[in-house]
């Protein structure tokens, strides 16, 4: 089952899934973003037409990937789910410096995990909304720093306790490999881990290794103007034997806090109306592409207990 902001859904109900998108994002340093910083009614009014267009294109499930302190708002997502008819999924977890509140740097692994486990079991605040997965981030570079390793280990513990999958913002093959080693030594099943922005890896030996160990590779920057290189990348991943671990999304939207009317809002439907037909015309298998937005994301995101 997938945990949405309204309730659980099965694979048939989930249908076509956008596994990594955004409704609202506020890049406010120090973890100080609050609902007082934006007009929730305006957010709903501006995002709803984009979601209705997405539903018209055949999508049924939308995974919102803003963690707490970066724009997660379960009340907005619940309204959008009710008004659009889409299944909306939110998360528990934290992002990375400099968008973390000060207590995160002093907290222990267990203290962080306890926050996320409580949300998974009891819901987010008074919203009545339960998270459907864990969203974290790792720093850029060649090795994971102390704070982000603590967050990763807390996410591993939370996943083991709750059955929720982890989506992890991960830039580059070196960081992905370091995360994989930490998970391996922790006895963590990599089938519960989604490498967000896997297109940043650029090393096909790494793709093959991590896919073979169960990790999901989220190719999530598929936007107009990028279609040719994404078709090329996806064909290479299939040829490398990583095709059964691929997820497709766009990492787009979104209402940006602090910008007039949310800034440049980009539509969500182009993956289905433009990219997939283009990819089929250019040689990718239609059935496989369908699995990358249906069965694969469902298996990657589903609650294990």
């Amino acid at each position: 089952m997938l945990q949405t902001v309204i309730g659980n859904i099965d694979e048939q109900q989930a249908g076509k899934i956008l596994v990594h998108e955004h409704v609202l994002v506020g890049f406010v340093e120090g973890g100080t973003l609050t609902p007082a910083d934006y007009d929730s009614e305006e957010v709903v009014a501006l995002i709803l037409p984009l979601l209705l267009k997405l539903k018209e294109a055949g999508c049924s499930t939308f995974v919102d990937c803003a963690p707490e302190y970066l724009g997660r708002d379960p009340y907005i997502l619940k309204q959008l789910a009710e008004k659009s008819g889409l299944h909306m999924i939110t998360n528990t977890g934290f992002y990375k410096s400099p968008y973390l509140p000060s207590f995160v740097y002093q907290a222990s692994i267990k203290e962080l995990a306890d926050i996320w486990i409580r949300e998974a079991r009891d819901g987010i605040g008074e919203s009545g909304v339960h998270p459907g997965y864990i969203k974290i981030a790792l720093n850029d570079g060649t090795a994971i720093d102390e704070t982000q390793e603590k967050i990763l280990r807390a996410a591993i513990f939370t996943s083991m306790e709750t059955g929720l999958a982890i989506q992890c913002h991960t830039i580059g093959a070196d960081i992905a490999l370091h995360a994989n080693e930490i998970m391996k030594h922790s006895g963590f099943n990599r089938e519960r881990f989604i490498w967000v922005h896997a297109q940043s890896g650029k090393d096909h030996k790494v793709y093959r290794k991590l896919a073979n160990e169960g990790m999901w590779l989220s190719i999530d920057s598929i936007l107009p103007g990028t279609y040719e290189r994404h078709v090329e990348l996806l064909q290479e991943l299939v040829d490398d034997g990583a095709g059964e671990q691929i997820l497709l999304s766009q990492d787009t939207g979104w209402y940006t806090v602090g910008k007039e009317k949310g800034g440049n809002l980009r539509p969500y439907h182009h993956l289905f109306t433009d990219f997939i037909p283009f990819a089929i015309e250019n040689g990718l298998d239609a059935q496989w592409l369908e699995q990358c937005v249906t069965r694969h994301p469902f298996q990657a995101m589903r609650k294990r207990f």
Side-chain angles (χ1 to χ4, degrees):
M1 304 293 283
L2 297 183
Q3 173 70 57
T4 79
V5 298
I6 294 175
N8 288 326
I9 58 173
D10 61 24
E11 185 171 356
Q12 184 176 1
Q13 291 170 305
K16 293 180 180 177
I17 303 167
L18 280 181
V19 75
H20 192 98
E21 308 295 338
H22 292 279
V23 165
L24 169 74
V25 178
F27 290 105
V28 179
E29 295 187 7
T32 61
L33 180 70
T34 73
D37 296 317
Y38 52 87
D39 182 341
S40 60
E41 291 185 2
E42 181 177 78
V43 177
V44 171
L46 291 172
I47 294 294
L48 180 58
L50 304 181
L51 294 179
L52 291 172
K53 186 73 173 178
L54 174 63
K55 186 180 180 187
E56 183 182 317
C59 184
S60 297
T61 302
F62 181 105
V63 181
D64 183 76
C65 288
E68 189 175 10
Y69 307 114
L70 203 73
R72 183 190 70 171
D73 190 317
Y75 296 95
I76 285 178
L77 295 179
K78 193 171 182 179
Q79 284 189 64
L80 288 171
E82 291 168 345
K83 291 176 182 292
S84 70
L86 282 169
H87 303 296
M88 307 290 288
I89 297 176
T90 190
N91 59 73
T92 192
F94 298 148
Y95 196 56
K96 64 177 181 175
S97 177
Y99 308 109
L100 296 170
S102 58
F103 79 85
V104 174
Y105 300 100
Q106 285 77 46
S108 68
I109 293 170
K110 185 178 185 304
E111 286 169 336
L112 294 179
D114 283 347
I115 294 170
W116 304 337
I117 292 168
R118 183 168 58 251
E119 287 194 336
R121 292 179 175 168
D122 301 333
I124 299 169
E126 301 300 319
S127 68
V129 170
H130 288 74
Y133 69 105
I134 305 156
K135 173 64 189 300
I136 62 169
L138 299 175
N139 55 284
D140 299 346
T142 58
I144 301 170
D145 68 29
E146 181 179 356
T147 297
Q148 299 312 131
E149 180 173 339
K150 178 171 65 174
I151 286 173
L152 173 60
R153 291 186 181 278
I156 291 168
F157 186 81
T158 302
S159 179
M160 289 177 164
E161 289 293 309
T162 64
L164 296 178
I166 301 170
Q167 280 210 42
C168 184
H169 170 107
T170 309
I171 304 300
D174 289 337
I175 295 292
L177 286 169
H178 191 182
N180 187 61
E181 287 304 304
I182 290 170
M183 289 185 282
K184 183 184 296 186
H185 291 146
S186 300
F188 185 67
N189 181 357
R190 267 61 55 77
E191 292 180 4
R192 308 307 293 141
F193 185 90
I194 299 170
W195 173 3
V196 173
H197 315 315
Q199 68 277 359
S200 68
K202 300 177 182 178
D203 185 329
H204 291 274
K205 291 181 180 178
V206 174
Y207 288 141
R208 184 166 54 249
K209 170 184 169 59
L210 297 183
N212 286 341
E213 295 191 24
M215 189 180 292
W216 294 95
L217 311 179
S218 179
I219 309 301
D220 45 48
S221 64
I222 303 173
L223 299 168
T226 72
Y227 293 168
E228 288 188 8
R229 68 173 179 266
H230 275 109
V231 167
E232 182 179 350
L233 171 61
L234 292 172
Q235 187 61 66
E236 290 172 351
L237 289 169
V238 170
D239 293 344
D240 284 343
E244 293 306 305
Q245 298 301 119
I246 302 300
L247 314 175
L248 303 179
S249 209
Q250 300 159 125
D251 189 19
T252 196
W254 55 74
Y255 185 102
T256 302
V257 176
K259 294 189 176 182
E260 185 177 359
K261 293 192 178 300
N264 180 30
L265 305 180
R266 295 177 295 184
Y268 301 113
H269 64 271
H270 284 156
L271 183 76
F272 300 108
T273 59
D274 298 0
F275 175 72
I276 289 179
F278 176 87
I280 293 169
E281 289 176 4
N282 284 272
L284 289 178
D285 181 73
Q287 184 177 0
W288 175 76
L289 287 164
E290 178 86 0
Q291 290 176 344
C292 290
V293 293
T294 54
R295 184 155 187 78
H296 291 185
F298 184 86
Q299 290 297 321
M301 292 284 294
R302 68 184 178 93
K303 290 169 63 178
R304 290 300 174 99
F305 51 85

